[in-house]
Amino acid sequence: MGIERRMSRAMFAQTEVVELRQMCFTPGRMFEPGKYIAGDLPDIAFEMGLVETLPPVRGPSEERDPQANPPA
């Protein structure tokens, strides 16, 4: 017997940008894979385990402070 991966919308902030990994169909709409704000996705996407957090940004863009050195 396999372990069921059970997730919930409560694991994510409503304004957090998340990734929908697979198509998600609801009676009123079809959601394609991609990046969404967690509050815009239906509960079923979270319950089915189709949503993941985005990895943290790494590299020069993470270290750059746009207020300190604005582009010329």
Side-chain angles (χ1 to χ4, degrees):
M1 176 185 241
I3 297 174
E4 182 179 340
R5 182 177 173 193
R6 191 83 173 157
M7 297 182 75
S8 161
R9 178 185 293 280
M11 296 175 62
F12 305 93
Q14 287 293 321
T15 57
E16 182 178 354
V17 177
V18 295
E19 182 177 11
L20 181 64
R21 296 181 302 131
Q22 295 181 27
M23 297 282 278
C24 180
F25 298 96
T26 65
R29 186 168 171 199
M30 177 184 74
F31 294 88
E32 294 188 22
K35 296 177 185 175
Y36 292 88
I37 295 174
D40 293 344
L41 292 173
D43 290 336
I44 193 69
F46 295 92
E47 294 167 6
M48 291 178 64
L50 304 179
V51 180
E52 289 189 353
T53 59
L54 292 176
V57 177
R58 296 181 186 206
S61 61
E62 176 184 42
E63 299 164 2
R64 184 171 172 261
D65 182 4
Q67 300 298 326
N69 296 321

